[in-house]
């Protein structure tokens, strides 16, 4: 898996209530959820994400509730990958399970700016900042999670049950 | 090993486990509610699931949208009722039968030493009686429906030792708010938290639930308290026998140990818009409020309602302030009625709502308009959590919320 794209930056403690506010949890359709992604935080999000599909955030991204609707909304809104200094644990698992690549990066995120163009390889942990011509190495995603992250847990289990 | 490691070792049929190791645990029980279970049911079917792994170990609770507030909520409920019938799920709490999912779990299902997962972040509440319990998302709930197993990374454990006598009118809620203020929102990410010390021994199971409930607000995987005589009594009252309690080994290790003195904890409040923005009530006591909420999986239990009723007795809520009292379960509701607490609330001018999540997560009843201010016993005060993104939520103990309702501004309980 390799991911390329431009960066959309956010700060620390972005919680699941702003990623998808509680009133929309009655929705079960992924596209409908996506329409309300980030509504509690950034009303310009949908405009921005057309161009910039890699979210780079600071600490504790996705803190708060266990709602899987949060990574689903981001994924279907067009987000290709999230890099963060750190993630809240339920969000981290949920993102992998819905097939939204996430990578914990530590301080490195501070060196990535809004609009930068990145190349990301979750398997090796290599991140290239093409705009600034620098490379970083972060902890790669463990193999067994990588498999799930590529297809999502539903498909992963369905395939495994068939074989 | 410490208590968390011992429970996880047992659940994964190992002699021992170490922090950082990945294990696959047998799950004793799995819970989901009306906003997480529908996605789980969908995922279960897409995974090719025909039959759940164990119809007696799945607990489904309607609580976030009870009773249904719109057609879409009613449809979610309908979908779950159908799944319950199809799969012959034994434990289903429909409208009028249950209350907030975590309260229902603690009243009827959780036992010490079990591994329990729930499609809700506050599943960590159940550590109050010595189980390992943590929140997961809907797709993982579906995979547990199918297999009864789930992988975990064995967490590092922080031992939080609390000594000293809690001074009136401070409550367990004030302790946990204080600790979250110190740890900050990401201070315990991925970690297990064990509470111990003299103060914990004094605190009731209701109060211990408040402590464990909020560990997720500092990022923790679970909170846990070693079972003791109070736990045994709690189990007995529910008709459960006490198993051999799992406790720390004498040489148990922790990632770190931190100490707090409960006698120094004054009434605290978490100010907008993060749970770790904690201040003593005395520093914000000029803030005027529009609404006061007493309820939720954090503080909607009998002990909480008793405290609030004590403050409301023979008093009237300040003109212009709306008070919502939301018992956490039908049982709490009934007990409160039998003790005459409901009469006290009604005479004070409070509205008693049905057992449910209420305005806690902003999707159902009792929501706020822009610029309105609410003081609440719930557990999150994020932007938009209780209605309009410009509304402000302060989190506090039942005593602080009740006292504030009488004065119309955030007030130290008297
Ligand atoms: S009461 Fe609030 S925090 Fe508890 S389960 Fe319901 S919505 Fe979640």
């Amino acid at each position: 898996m390799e991911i390329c794209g431009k960066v959309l930056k956010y700060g620390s403690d972005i919680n699941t209530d702003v990623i998808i506010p509680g009133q929309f949890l009655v929705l079960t359709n992924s596209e409908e959820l996506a329409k309300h992604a980030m509504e509690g935080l950034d009303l310009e999000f949908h405009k921005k994400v057309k161009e910039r599909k890699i979210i780079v955030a600071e600490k504790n991204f996705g803190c708060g509730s266990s709602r899987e609707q949060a990574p689903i909304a981001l994924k279907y809104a067009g987000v290709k990958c999230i890099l963060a200094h750190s993630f809240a644990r339920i969000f981290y698992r949920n993102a992998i399970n819905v097939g939204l690549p996430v990578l914990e990066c530590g301080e490195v995120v501070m060196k990535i700016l809004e609009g930068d163009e990145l190349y990301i390889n979750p398997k090796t942990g290599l991140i290239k900042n093409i705009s600034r011509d620098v490379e970083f190495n972060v902890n790669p995603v463990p193999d067994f999670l990588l498999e799930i992250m590529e297809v999502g847990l539903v498909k992963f289990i369905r395939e495994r049950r068939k074989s | 090993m410490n208590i968390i490691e011992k429970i996880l070792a047992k659940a994964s049929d190992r002699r021992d486990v170490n922090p950082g190791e990945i294990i696959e645990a047998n799950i004793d029980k799995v819970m989901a509610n009306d906003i997480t279970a529908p996605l789980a049911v969908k995922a279960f079917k897409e995974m090719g699931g025909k039959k759940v792994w164990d119809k007696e170990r799945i607990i489904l609770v309607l609580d976030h949208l009870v009773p249904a507030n719109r057609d879409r909520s009613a449809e979610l409920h309908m979908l779950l009722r159908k799944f319950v019938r199809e799969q012959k799920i034994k434990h289903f709490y429909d409208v009028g039968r249950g209350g907030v999912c975590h309260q229902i779990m603690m009243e009827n299902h959780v036992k010490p030493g079990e591994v329990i997962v729930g499609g809700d972040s506050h599943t960590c509440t159940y550590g109050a009686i010595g189980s390992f319990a943590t929140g997961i998302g809907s797709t993982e709930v579906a995979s547990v429906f199918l297999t009864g197993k789930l992988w975990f990374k064995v967490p590092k454990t922080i031992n939080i030792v609390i000594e000293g006598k809690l001074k009136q009118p401070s409550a367990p809620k004030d302790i946990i708010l204080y600790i979250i203020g110190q740890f900050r929102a990401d201070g315990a990410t991925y970690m297990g938290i064990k509470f111990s010390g003299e103060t914990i021994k004094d605190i009731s199971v209701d109060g211990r639930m408040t402590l464990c409930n909020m560990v997720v607000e500092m990022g923790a995987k679970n909170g846990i308290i070693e079972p003791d005589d109070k736990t045994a009594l709690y189990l007995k009252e529910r008709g459960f026998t006490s198993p051999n309690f799992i406790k720390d080994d004498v040489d148990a290790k922790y990632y770190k140990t931190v100490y707090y003195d409960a006698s120094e904890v004054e009434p605290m409040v978490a100010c907008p818009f993060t749970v770790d923005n904690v201040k003593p009530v005395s520093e914000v006591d000029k803030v005027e409020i529009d609404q006061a909420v007493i309820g939720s999986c954090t503080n909607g239990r009998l002990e909480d309602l008793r405290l609030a009723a004590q403050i409301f007795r023979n008093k009237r809520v300040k003109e212009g302030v709306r008070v919502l009292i939301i018992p956490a379960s039908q049982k709490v509701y009934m007990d409160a009625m039998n003790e005459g607490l409901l009469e006290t609330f009604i005479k004070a001018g409070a509205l008693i709502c049905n057992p449910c999540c209420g305005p806690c997560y902003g999707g159902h009843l009792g929501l706020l308009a822009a610029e309105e201010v609410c003081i609440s016993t719930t557990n999150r005060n994020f932007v938009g959590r209780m209605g309009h993104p410009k509304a402000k939520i302060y989190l506090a103990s039942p005593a602080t919320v009740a006292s504030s309702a009488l004065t119309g501004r955030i007030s130290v309980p008297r």
Side-chain angles (χ1 to χ4, degrees):
Chain A
M1 182 192 292
E2 293 165 317
I3 301 154
C4 288
K6 287 198 178 135
V7 169
L8 177 50
K9 261 206 112 167
Y10 291 108
S12 280
D13 300 323
I14 306 298
N15 65 69
T16 51
D17 277 87
V18 298
I19 297 173
I20 183 79
Q23 56 173 305
F24 303 117
L25 298 179
V26 289
L27 305 175
T28 46
N29 179 292
S30 308
E31 269 82 23
E32 269 186 282
L33 281 165
K35 283 186 202 147
H36 302 284
M38 289 292 198
E39 203 165 295
L41 178 73
D42 182 0
L43 292 173
E44 302 274 280
F45 171 75
H46 287 280
K47 217 158 78 196
K48 294 181 188 166
V49 82
K50 280 204 185 94
E51 281 273 300
R52 288 166 264 165
K53 296 187 189 299
I54 297 174
I55 291 184
V56 177
E58 294 173 18
K59 287 187 183 164
N60 206 20
F61 189 90
C63 59
S65 104
S66 69
R67 59 187 71 166
E68 204 167 282
Q69 289 91 337
I72 291 175
L74 292 175
K75 180 178 168 170
Y76 284 83
V79 174
K80 283 208 273 185
C81 178
I82 307 174
L83 308 182
H85 189 293
S86 61
F87 290 91
R89 67 165 277 280
I90 309 180
F91 182 92
Y92 182 79
R93 288 181 82 123
N94 283 347
I96 289 173
N97 291 333
V98 305
L100 172 62
V102 282
L103 215 56
E104 207 167 41
C105 299
E107 290 298 322
V108 161
V109 296
M110 302 303 182
K111 298 190 181 134
I112 303 173
L113 302 180
E114 180 81 42
D116 282 359
E117 185 146 5
L118 302 185
Y119 162 90
I120 302 159
N121 187 331
K123 191 175 168 62
T124 60
L126 175 70
I127 300 172
K128 281 190 203 167
N129 189 336
I130 298 165
S131 311
R132 288 166 208 285
D133 201 17
V134 277
E135 285 185 16
F136 313 106
N137 279 293
V138 301
N139 282 337
V141 176
D143 276 346
F144 84 106
L145 287 183
L146 205 64
E147 259 184 86
I148 300 174
M149 199 160 87
E150 287 198 22
V151 294
L153 184 60
V154 166
K155 198 159 167 216
F156 178 81
I157 291 183
R158 196 171 59 214
E159 299 295 315
R160 211 169 52 168
R161 280 164 58 87
K162 269 195 215 144
S163 55
Chain B
M1 289 186 288
N2 65 41
I3 176 171
I4 295 176
E5 292 152 6
K6 282 172 81 173
I7 295 174
L8 290 177
K10 180 167 157 265
S12 55
D13 301 317
R14 294 190 184 205
R15 289 256 301 284
D16 46 42
V17 298
N18 291 300
E21 255 181 285
I22 307 256
I23 55 140
E24 190 170 52
N26 293 311
I27 302 300
D28 289 295
K29 276 148 204 168
V30 56
M31 184 283 298
N33 59 43
D34 49 353
I35 56 171
T36 57
L39 285 185
V41 168
K42 198 171 137 204
F44 175 78
K45 300 211 161 129
E46 286 169 8
M47 284 170 182
K50 296 265 166 345
K51 208 161 154 248
V52 297
W53 117 96
D54 188 337
K55 60 186 193 313
E56 307 205 353
R57 290 172 185 269
I58 296 173
I59 295 105
L60 297 176
V61 186
L62 308 186
D63 62 352
H64 280 60
L65 299 156
V66 166
N69 57 337
R70 51 185 293 201
D71 52 354
R72 290 209 122 139
S73 326
E75 278 158 19
L76 297 183
H77 292 171
M78 203 164 77
L79 183 153
L80 291 182
R81 287 187 195 106
K82 187 160 162 259
F83 182 71
V84 164
R85 271 198 310 274
E86 269 170 23
Q87 297 289 333
K88 304 197 171 56
I89 304 288
K90 186 153 170 225
H91 304 290
F92 173 56
Y93 295 87
D94 207 330
V95 177
R97 302 294 166 88
V100 179
C101 56
H102 306 305
Q103 184 65 20
I104 296 310
M105 288 298 287
M106 286 294 292
E107 284 174 6
N108 307 309
H109 299 287
V110 180
K111 292 188 189 147
E114 290 185 331
V115 173
I116 305 183
V117 289
D120 194 282
S121 59
H122 293 102
T123 302
C124 52
T125 309
Y126 322 156
I129 55 170
S131 74
F132 176 89
T134 190
I136 56 174
S138 297
T139 306
E140 289 195 327
V141 168
S143 77
V144 178
F145 282 178
L146 205 58
T147 64
K149 293 185 197 312
L150 193 66
W151 69 271
F152 296 103
K153 199 187 235 181
V154 178
K156 294 175 182 165
T157 304
I158 301 176
N159 185 16
I160 297 186
V161 183
I162 309 172
E163 308 279 1
K165 223 176 164 47
L166 198 53
K167 263 200 323 259
Q168 288 286 333
S170 294
K173 179 67 163 282
D174 299 301
I175 299 184
I176 191 66
L177 287 176
Y178 180 83
I179 293 175
I180 293 167
Q182 301 286 314
F183 266 79
R184 307 312 302 253
D186 64 344
T189 300
Y190 303 132
M191 299 200 195
I193 302 255
K194 183 195 163 211
F195 292 103
S196 51
E198 281 309 310
T199 319
I200 300 298
K201 293 213 179 80
D202 283 347
I203 293 177
S204 68
V205 171
D206 277 10
R208 294 175 185 185
M209 285 167 71
T210 306
L211 295 178
C212 291
N213 175 272
M214 289 192 75
V215 297
V216 66
E217 311 311 333
M218 43 192 188
K221 176 178 280 184
N222 73 309
I224 199 162
I225 292 169
E226 279 187 351
D228 60 7
D229 297 348
K230 287 207 166 79
T231 319
L233 188 66
Y234 186 89
L235 293 170
K236 197 166 154 221
E237 281 168 6
R238 278 155 189 79
F240 293 163
T241 51
S242 304
N244 279 335
F245 291 149
I246 296 179
K247 297 187 178 192
D248 277 1
D249 286 332
V250 278
D251 58 350
K253 288 194 185 58
Y254 304 104
Y255 170 66
K256 65 177 176 188
T257 300
V258 288
Y259 297 88
Y260 291 101
D261 181 353
S263 68
E264 285 179 1
V265 175
E266 14 171 347
M268 305 300 285
V269 48
C271 303
F273 288 99
T274 55
V275 187
D276 59 2
N277 186 13
V278 176
K279 296 184 180 140
V281 175
S282 53
E283 277 180 27
V284 287
D285 62 0
K286 297 211 168 42
V287 177
E288 294 188 0
I289 58 164
D290 300 287
Q291 177 163 293
V293 176
I294 298 173
S296 85
C297 57
T298 314
N299 279 123
R301 285 176 275 283
L302 192 60
E303 188 175 286
D304 304 313
L305 299 188
R306 277 185 190 143
L307 260 171
Q310 243 174 46
I311 291 167
F312 283 141
R313 193 150 295 137
N314 300 323
K315 303 243 169 54
R316 285 288 289 176
V317 167
K318 176 91 174 175
E319 252 339 283
V321 175
R322 327 184 277 275
V323 179
L324 309 186
I325 309 270
I326 314 171
S329 69
Q330 294 284 100
K331 180 177 186 322
V332 172
Y333 200 173
M334 180 100 98
D335 291 347
M337 181 177 76
N338 290 338
E339 286 191 16
L341 309 183
L342 301 187
E343 189 176 338
T344 305
F345 294 138
I346 294 170
K347 282 187 172 156
L351 176 68
I352 301 163
C353 303
N354 61 292
C356 66
C357 294
C360 175
Y361 77 105
H364 193 213
L365 49 76
L367 304 183
L368 305 168
E371 310 301 340
E372 281 196 315
V373 177
C374 176
I375 186 159
S376 173
T377 66
T378 55
N379 49 41
R380 288 190 181 132
N381 58 354
F382 301 148
V383 169
R385 177 78 181 179
M386 215 179 257
H388 199 281
K390 289 217 169 84
K392 294 194 182 75
I393 308 158
Y394 291 80
L395 307 173
S397 75
T400 303
V401 173
S403 300
S404 307
L406 293 180
T407 59
R409 47 181 181 75
I410 295 178
S411 302
V412 177
R414 268 169 291 170

